[in-house]
Amino acid sequence: MFYGEYEHAIDKKGRLIIPSKFRDVLKDKFVDSFMVTRGYEKCLFVFPPDQWQAYEQSLRALSPHKADPRALSRMFYGGAQQCLCDRQGRINIPKILLDYASINKEVTIIGVSTRFEIWDRGRWNKYREAEEKTLEERAEKIGEIRIE
Amino acid sequence: MFYGEYEHAIDKKGRLIIPSKFRDVLKDKFVDSFMVTRGYEKCLFVFPPDQWQAYEQSLRALSPHKADPRALSRMFYGGAQQCLCDRQGRINIPKILLDYASINKEVTIIGVSTRFEIWDRGRWNKYREAEEKTLEERAEKIGEIRIE
DNA sequence: AAGGAAGTGGGGAAAAGTGGGGGAAAATCT
DNA sequence: AGATTTTCCCCCACTTTTCCCCACTTCCTT
């Protein structure tokens, strides 16, 4: 569904272009907005409406009687914002989310299957470099990934 | 499916010729693009669409709530690009993937069963020489190879 | 030696990305 | 409640990138 890596910038008016390949996903569904929320490693998660629902469902399944899932739900639900695309395919991201992800201007957008992620470019580069080095180790740990 | 070793070069516009033997695979399926992504040992993996789907299926199962699987899906999905073949059978490989595989110009393309791989020629030669020496050791370690 | 298939280079059109002005709606103040 | 300010979104114009096609060369085959 979503894949690839794109470098974009937030303009002076606070707008961010969504890569056109990602926007195409919305076209098929006759909707024009994404759900943006807090993500892991201080990036932002972005879902199309149907995938957001699936993600929501997985959160709702977590027990409200335990502290950990409760905190998670607060972070994800509380951070969630519906962002409309303008005619040029740009969205406005609320300041509170930009702060969370320490995004100033230069961002990198990464497609990750059912969602995509928005990173401050500097932080992403650091993360990527570290992960590239340990890719094989991580894969060995998980073990069940088969490439065939 | 894919086998053999080919030496090609990336031209000034960043295009790489896919060996015609490999392109023939697409013809049978009436499609005209490959999926290219980060691979192990810093080479690039290339899949025809149906094989990519099989590969993706195993990735999709990875949980977004655990660090190891999260990192892997970011690497594989984030690195993935659908590369269209032009009339001459060339694809454009994004710069980010070339950097990952430290590819400048001279590359070696290796068929590996359901996928093929793109290597920087220098790195491939080194890798091949080392592996040729320890082929038997590796086989012993795996142990369960059957040839029938 | 000729013909065809594979490899190579470059030009041009179309699409994606970028920036800014203006007007409507919403929020705020008096 | 009305007036003023602010915000947000649409549109237009421009730049950059992508990709698609055509022409030429080289190599292999017959």
Side-chain angles (χ1 to χ4, degrees), chain A residues 3-5 40-41 110-111 113 115 117 119 127-128 131-132 135-136 138-139 141-142 145-147, chain B residues 38 40-42 45 55-56 58 64-65 68-72 74 77-78 80-82 96 100 115:
Chain A
Y3 48 78
E5 191 176 317
Y40 295 114
E41 278 80 43
I110 300 115
S113 176
R115 68 172 184 273
E117 300 182 346
W119 288 68
Y127 177 86
R128 181 176 44 75
E131 289 303 324
E132 281 177 353
L135 181 64
E136 287 81 2
R138 292 232 196 233
K141 254 200 237 167
I142 295 176
I145 291 183
R146 286 277 178 285
I147 296 164
Chain B
R38 289 188 182 94
Y40 295 120
E41 278 77 46
K42 303 279 178 294
F45 284 177
Y55 182 52
E56 201 210 2
S58 68
H65 300 293
D68 284 334
R70 201 157 60 228
L72 283 184
R74 276 176 186 144
Y77 278 104
Q81 293 278 352
Q82 187 171 25
I96 185 116
Y100 171 76
R115 67 170 186 273

Side-chain angles (χ1 to χ4, degrees), chain A residues 63-76:
Chain A
S63 167
H65 302 296
K66 306 218 172 188
D68 290 339
R70 209 155 55 225
L72 280 186
S73 306
R74 282 182 184 131
M75 284 303 109
F76 288 124

Side-chain angles (χ1 to χ4, degrees), chain A residues 8 10-11 13 16 34 39 54-55 59 61 66 76 82 87 89 91 95 104 106 110 117 119 121 123 136 144-145:
Chain A
H8 285 284
I10 294 182
D11 67 21
K13 288 171 131 184
L16 174 68
F34 290 104
Y55 189 65
L59 286 174
K66 306 218 172 188
F76 288 124
Q82 189 171 23
R87 276 278 182 81
I91 59 171
K95 187 156 181 315
N104 282 313
E106 311 279 293
I110 300 115
E117 300 182 346
W119 288 68
R121 195 172 304 164
R123 296 191 57 257
E136 287 81 2
E144 304 117 28
I145 291 183

